[in-house]
Amino acid sequence: MSTNNSRPSKAERSASAREKAAQMQATQAAAQKRKSLMVKLGVLAAVVVVVALVVVLIVQNNNAKISATGSAPQGGNAAGGILLTSPTTVADTSGIKIDNTNLVLKDDRPTTPEPSELTVGGKGEPVNVTLYVDANCVHCAEFESTYGPQLKQWLADGKITLEYRNVGFLDGGSPSNFSSRGANALACVADQSPAAYLDFATALWGHYDQGELKNAELSDMAVAAGASDSVKSCIDKGTFRPFVEKTTVTAQNEGVGGTPSIFVQGKSVDLASKDFVEAVESAIKANA
């Protein structure tokens, strides 16, 4: 007996199976492609988020709101320097206010340094050595390593006064404004624990090869150098950042273009052509 629903032949069943297998493979391939695309998009999105976060953090760090007003630390002066009178003491200064409201970087800066208010020791007095230095400067680290002990000895012998003008020249190349934060930390130590200033400066530049420090690490380093715990709040809050900004912009406006820049009795000492120790000893002899 015949029927209209005849059973497919073996060839037809094979063809149907192949068609279904092909459809299944195509479906699986499409699903895998979608999955791969979603993974790639997910990774790309994650990268975008991370990059955006890094950019935000950098912008926040570089554009952190610094007050236009503040005060100079103990030993600080109106030119932005911190004057040491011995290895453990700073100059007796107080009440110096900082107002950067109208502080701007000038276009017509001198081509050779013309620093203002450089200290010059009178006849029979200690000669003055003034250093423009940056916490993130490799050559400043080298200078400190080479001459730090000699500077400390001259101070101990009463032969010199030593003024640090700590600038933030290299903030532009730092994701965390380490130059200015380091300068602020130095000001905090000078203000609250002047006896620890030189040891902290030695430790700070001695760490250069290990990279930038966080505020908490700067605080720990300062305390380890002999500073009181009170410096922690000062460092974390950036108490003397207006003072650092004043020092930095004033130095640039007066033609100081790099660090270290060194002045002995108000005269520039070019380390490329002059021996630093000889220059200072000569000034000491002339001032005796």
Side-chain angles (χ1 to χ4, degrees), residues 71-156:
S71 60
Q74 185 179 178
N77 57 43
I82 297 173
L83 183 64
L84 279 70
T85 53
S86 83
T88 58
T89 58
V90 295
D92 183 14
T93 60
S94 61
I96 296 177
K97 300 299 180 182
I98 303 298
D99 188 348
N100 296 333
T101 304
N102 298 315
L103 185 67
V104 295
L105 190 60
K106 299 177 181 178
D107 293 327
D108 56 339
R109 299 188 292 274
T111 55
T112 57
E114 299 175 3
S116 63
E117 301 183 48
L118 285 175
T119 301
V120 177
K123 192 71 174 177
E125 297 178 345
V127 304
N128 175 260
V129 177
T130 296
L131 310 174
Y132 284 88
V133 284
D134 188 305
N136 214 9
C137 161
V138 62
H139 299 300
C140 300
E142 293 168 351
F143 181 87
E144 174 63 31
S145 175
T146 303
Y147 300 112
Q150 178 65 75
L151 289 167
K152 191 172 186 178
Q153 188 61 56
W154 280 326
L155 277 169

